[in-house]
Amino acid sequence: MTLVTYSDSDDEHVHPLKKRKTSNATTINALPPLPSTFHDLYSSTARVSTSDDPSLHGGRRRVVPHVEGNWPTHVYFEWHPSQTEHKLLSSLLSTVQAQAEASDPHVTGHPAATQKVHSLLQSELGVPSPLHVSLSRPLVFRTETKDTFLERVTAAIARADVRPFAVNPTELAWHGNEDMTRWFLVLRVAKPDGDDMRKLLEACNKVVVGMGQPALYAEENAAERKAKTTTQERTRPREAENAGNPKAADAFHISIAWSLHPPPPPSTDSEAGVTPLGEVTETAMNEVRKLRISFSEVKLKIGRDVRVLPLNAKKAEGRSILG
């Protein structure tokens, strides 16, 4: 083994730490950005429970209960906001939280408490969290079918032949989950050129429905709408009517916060679900609207395993004479 030798000069002996710090700083500055797959290594929470224990996560309850042999599955785009982007989102959310806490609790239908808004921008340890745009509902596959789904949805996304694209946020809105047990504060995003997100959604939905699972943002036929409306009139809480139920036209969104209580009802001239903004909040939202969020891959999470499905970055702009 060869030993590293150093010069006998006084400068080398007096300032070796200083030289190492300079060298380390240069090396750090030259490092390339982390690949997106690095974040997938830590995509699971540290606290895992096989039972529904709301105390572990702020009072939330599982929409899909844990069953041995079931694999929770999700198809989505992932976004890791930069430091500047995270600061803008945090500023926006802070103003919404202040507005919610100052609102009249009687207006929300919960006189015992004001609306508590919980951030999705960072973990409980204060680490910035990745955000996402869903391409599927929360799905569940059995062990014997999960690999088939992976193969089929991978092929479907490849056939869609979509290039990487970018979107920008448009509106701030509240969306309730299907059971109206939780409300999400979301940034709706404008459709990209070519409506590529819809193309990928249709590709995923075709596979999902073919395997007996519910589609995301699928348009209902008249009979389904009538049956759903009748059921909701009997069972849905009155305050849930303003939660918003987006369809494909304005469905794609990024969740940035959640609440166990419904939001205040919008004003009569507001779009359903759209959050009424104060002057300070509107100023923050105007800055967020300037963001351009780029997507170059689809992610598929099955259990704790995350697969990256790249979009076609090399897709030709036009067709050759051979088609």
Side-chain angles (χ1 to χ4, degrees), residues 103-126:
S103 65
D104 183 351
H106 293 274
V107 174
T108 68
H110 291 271
T114 56
Q115 185 190 23
K116 176 70 172 177
V117 180
H118 304 266
S119 175
L120 289 172
L121 300 180
Q122 58 189 29
S123 70
E124 294 177 358
L125 299 178

Side-chain angles (χ1 to χ4, degrees), residues 139-141 152 206-215:
L139 307 171
V140 177
F141 289 99
R152 291 182 182 179
K206 186 175 182 179
V207 175
V208 165
V209 171
M211 296 190 67
Q213 297 275 353

Side-chain angles (χ1 to χ4, degrees), residues 12 37 47 64 88 129 139 141 167 171 216 244 271 279 322:
E12 288 288 337
T37 50
R47 295 185 297 182
V64 180
L88 281 176
S129 299
L139 307 171
F141 289 99
V167 297
E171 299 295 341
L216 178 66
E271 182 183 349
E279 183 177 347
L322 299 177

Side-chain angles (χ1 to χ4, degrees), residues 137 178 205 214-232 236 245-248:
R137 294 175 180 268
E178 289 187 352
N205 274 345
L216 178 66
Y217 307 139
E219 298 293 344
E220 301 165 326
N221 59 40
E224 288 173 329
R225 281 197 299 272
K226 183 177 180 180
K228 183 175 181 180
T229 301
T230 301
T231 301
Q232 288 175 343
R236 192 170 66 172
N245 183 27
K247 291 303 177 185

Side-chain angles (χ1 to χ4, degrees), residues 112-180:
T114 56
Q115 185 190 23
K116 176 70 172 177
V117 180
H118 304 266
S119 175
L120 289 172
L121 300 180
Q122 58 189 29
S123 70
E124 294 177 358
L125 299 178
V127 178
S129 299
L131 305 176
H132 69 268
V133 176
S134 290
L135 282 175
S136 80
R137 294 175 180 268
L139 307 171
V140 177
F141 289 99
R142 297 292 297 173
T143 301
E144 58 270 21
T145 59
K146 66 181 181 69
D147 290 340
T148 300
F149 176 73
L150 171 61
E151 293 171 2
R152 291 182 182 179
V153 79
T154 299
I157 289 173
R159 285 194 300 271
D161 204 25
V162 169
R163 298 187 66 188
F165 58 87
V167 297
N168 63 283
T170 56
E171 299 295 341
L172 194 63
W174 282 101
H175 290 171
N177 63 8
E178 289 187 352
D179 297 332
M180 296 302 168

Side-chain angles (χ1 to χ4, degrees), residues 76-104:
Y76 57 97
F77 297 108
E78 190 167 72
W79 176 36
H80 288 268
S82 67
Q83 186 174 1
T84 299
E85 291 168 338
H86 187 272
K87 185 176 180 180
L88 281 176
L89 295 176
S90 297
S91 177
L92 173 64
L93 182 54
S94 293
T95 59
V96 172
Q97 289 172 322
Q99 181 177 321
E101 292 176 1
S103 65
D104 183 351

